[in-house]
């Protein structure tokens, strides 16, 4: 099992470490041929407009879209959630997401960098109690389509009830950064998604 981490911009290294700690092989992905060599992909946090621009420049936009449509498991955190959305609010006119999850996401929904915070989030399907989730210029999900499962919402504070974790079949997205806390449960959940997808393909 080889899990790629999109290495155009953002906290790539932290996700690679988390993948390795989950006993999987992680590889940075910057070119289409590197994408071809992985079974799944993580889109890290960072600046979504920059990731979008560089994906076009590096020839990765359409290849990633095709792999998503073909069933490749993908996990996006923060900016990665934005990149997996079908619809964006407060985005630049020239920003192009990969799409895949039938959801509307609002960029920088929690405010600017100075408004970054840690909040409590409980995630369905993941045992061990609530997450201490780090939100940095984070998005939230305004609405989802019928095929999307809401896995997590902010538990308390002024943003209580806002959707911050979703899954649609082979695609997973969180508004927060589990790679920054040392809590590997989201990454382990995604590794299991990848394993299940591989078993389905082999079967």
């Amino acid at each position: 099992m080889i899990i790629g981490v999109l290495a155009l911009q953002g906290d790539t290294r932290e996700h690679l470490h988390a993948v390795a700690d989950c006993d999987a092989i992680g590889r940075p992905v910057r070119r289409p041929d590197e994408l071809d060599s992985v079974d799944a992909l993580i889109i890290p946090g960072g600046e979504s407009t920059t990731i979008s621009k560089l994906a076009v420049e590096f020839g990765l936009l359409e290849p990633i879209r095709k792999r998503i449509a073909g069933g490749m498991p993908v996990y996006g955190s923060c900016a990665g959630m934005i990149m997996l959305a079908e619809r964006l609010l407060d985005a630049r006119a020239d920003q192009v997401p990969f799409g895949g999850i039938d959801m509307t996401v609002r960029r920088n929904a929690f405010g600017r960098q100075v408004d970054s915070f840690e909040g409590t989030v409980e995630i369905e399907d993941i045992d061990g109690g609530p997450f201490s989730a780090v939100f940095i210029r984070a998005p939230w999900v305004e609405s989802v389509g019928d095929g999307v499962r809401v896995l997590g919402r902010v538990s308390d504070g002024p943003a209580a009830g806002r959707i911050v974790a979703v899954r649609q079949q082979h695609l997973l997205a969180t508004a927060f950064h589990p790679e920054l806390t040392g809590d590997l449960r989201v990454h382990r959940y995604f590794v299991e998604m990848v394993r299940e997808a591989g078993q389905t393909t082999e079967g």
Side-chain angles (χ1 to χ4, degrees):
M1 183 193 307
I2 301 173
I3 298 177
V5 179
L6 190 63
L8 300 178
Q9 191 265 346
D11 49 355
T12 302
R13 181 174 59 183
E14 291 83 355
H15 278 290
L16 287 170
H17 287 323
V19 168
D21 289 341
C22 293
D23 299 320
I25 299 171
R27 288 184 184 166
V29 171
R30 297 182 184 88
R31 302 190 306 269
D33 62 315
E34 293 171 339
L35 178 68
D36 292 341
S37 70
V38 302
D39 303 301
L41 185 68
I42 293 174
I43 306 169
E47 174 50 56
S48 63
T49 54
T50 302
I51 293 172
S52 174
K53 179 181 178 181
L54 292 175
V56 173
E57 291 183 4
F58 281 72
L60 279 166
L61 180 66
E62 290 306 322
I64 289 175
R65 283 179 166 179
K66 288 179 180 178
R67 290 293 305 273
I68 287 173
M72 176 180 69
V74 181
Y75 165 48
S77 66
C78 196
M81 169 181 268
I82 295 169
M83 293 301 297
L84 286 175
E86 290 287 346
R87 299 168 298 278
L88 300 178
L89 299 176
D90 297 334
R92 283 176 38 165
D94 60 348
Q95 181 168 355
V96 183
F98 300 126
I101 299 181
D102 183 10
M103 63 181 175
T104 300
V105 168
R106 184 177 296 278
R107 292 180 68 251
N108 298 339
F110 290 96
R112 298 174 298 168
Q113 191 87 13
V114 296
D115 300 313
S116 301
F117 70 101
E118 287 193 35
T120 302
V121 177
E122 297 221 21
I123 307 291
E124 285 188 32
D125 297 345
I126 300 180
D127 296 329
F131 286 81
S132 180
V134 176
F135 295 88
I136 303 172
R137 292 180 63 198
W140 66 43
V141 179
E142 289 274 347
S143 62
V144 299
D146 292 339
V148 180
R149 291 181 57 211
V150 174
L151 297 182
R153 300 174 184 264
V154 177
S155 300
D156 47 34
R162 290 294 185 180
I163 301 169
V164 291
V166 297
R167 177 176 177 179
Q168 183 172 1
Q169 297 176 330
H170 57 289
L171 305 175
L172 175 69
T174 65
F176 56 90
H177 293 261
E179 73 281 3
L180 299 181
T181 64
D183 189 333
L184 294 173
R185 287 179 290 163
V186 171
H187 287 85
R188 289 196 180 108
Y189 180 81
F190 181 61
V191 167
E192 186 58 32
M193 285 175 56
V194 180
R195 185 173 291 114
E196 291 173 357
Q199 291 171 350
T200 301
T201 302
E202 292 170 3

